[in-house]
Amino acid sequence: MPMNAPLLSPAAGRRQRRELLQQIAREQRKQRRQHLVDLRAQIRQARAERHAALEQAKARCRAERLAARERVHALRERVLQELRQAVAAERASARETCSVRLSAARGISDRIARVRAELEADRSFQREIRRIERANAQRMRQARRATAAIHRS
């Protein structure tokens, strides 16, 4: 038996074995702690990325909602402007028609016939204005429904 290694007493062998096992346990605990630190860092990173992604999604949704609201508002304004222009043109046409009828009525030499013709011209003008207002109110309702439907979609 070669005598290169010193012989240990049983107590010294047990002590050396215990120290070796303790050292192994310390290293394993250190590795587990480091692993937990790494996992916690990964969790923190994942949460931060998730939070950033949610914030970006919220910002995109907010921007899209604002853009949609602006598009609907512009559409509504354009439609209402077109309706106002159409009503103004119809009223101008009705006034022109009324003035033509009144000038024709004023050309009548019989006083009673002239007054009747003027009254009929005024009544037809009022009927035309009421028709224009009813049509305008109906078109306004339709325009509001259409733009509201676009806004809801």
Side-chain angles (χ1 to χ4, degrees):
M1 191 165 162
M3 289 302 229
N4 295 349
L7 288 178
L8 295 177
S9 66
R14 284 191 303 270
R15 186 176 65 243
Q16 194 176 27
R17 182 174 187 272
R18 187 174 60 243
E19 288 172 359
L20 186 60
L21 290 176
Q22 286 175 347
Q23 184 180 3
I24 290 171
R26 266 193 308 272
E27 287 296 320
Q28 287 175 344
R29 282 194 304 269
K30 183 178 176 184
Q31 286 176 349
R32 284 193 301 259
R33 273 195 304 271
Q34 185 59 44
H35 187 64
L36 283 176
V37 166
D38 293 343
L39 288 176
R40 286 182 185 127
Q42 289 175 7
I43 289 171
R44 258 192 315 276
Q45 179 66 28
R47 283 181 179 159
E49 289 172 2
R50 181 176 181 269
H51 181 72
L54 285 174
E55 289 300 317
Q56 288 175 351
K58 286 179 190 177
R60 275 194 314 272
C61 286
R62 187 178 309 116
E64 289 171 8
R65 280 194 315 270
L66 289 174
R69 187 178 304 149
E70 287 299 318
R71 284 192 306 271
V72 169
H73 182 69
L75 175 65
R76 182 178 293 140
E77 283 301 314
R78 184 176 51 80
V79 167
L80 292 178
Q81 181 63 30
E82 289 172 2
L83 287 175
R84 284 191 287 271
Q85 289 172 351
V87 168
E90 287 180 11
R91 283 183 180 167
S93 172
R95 275 194 301 276
E96 182 65 31
T97 304
C98 180
S99 74
V100 167
R101 286 182 186 156
L102 280 175
S103 64
R106 288 186 182 127
I108 298 175
S109 60
D110 183 23
R111 183 172 165 253
I112 293 174
R114 182 176 60 238
V115 170
R116 283 185 179 156
E118 287 175 356
L119 181 62
E120 180 55 33
D122 188 53
R123 284 182 178 164
S124 68
F125 174 70
Q126 293 300 325
R127 275 194 305 272
E128 185 68 14
I129 291 295
R130 282 193 301 272
R131 183 196 66 75
I132 289 169
E133 290 301 321
R134 279 193 308 271
N136 183 45
Q138 182 180 3
R139 286 187 296 231
M140 288 288 232
R141 282 191 301 270
Q142 288 174 346
R144 284 196 178 100
R145 283 188 204 127
T147 55
I150 291 170
H151 185 66
R152 283 190 303 268
S153 66

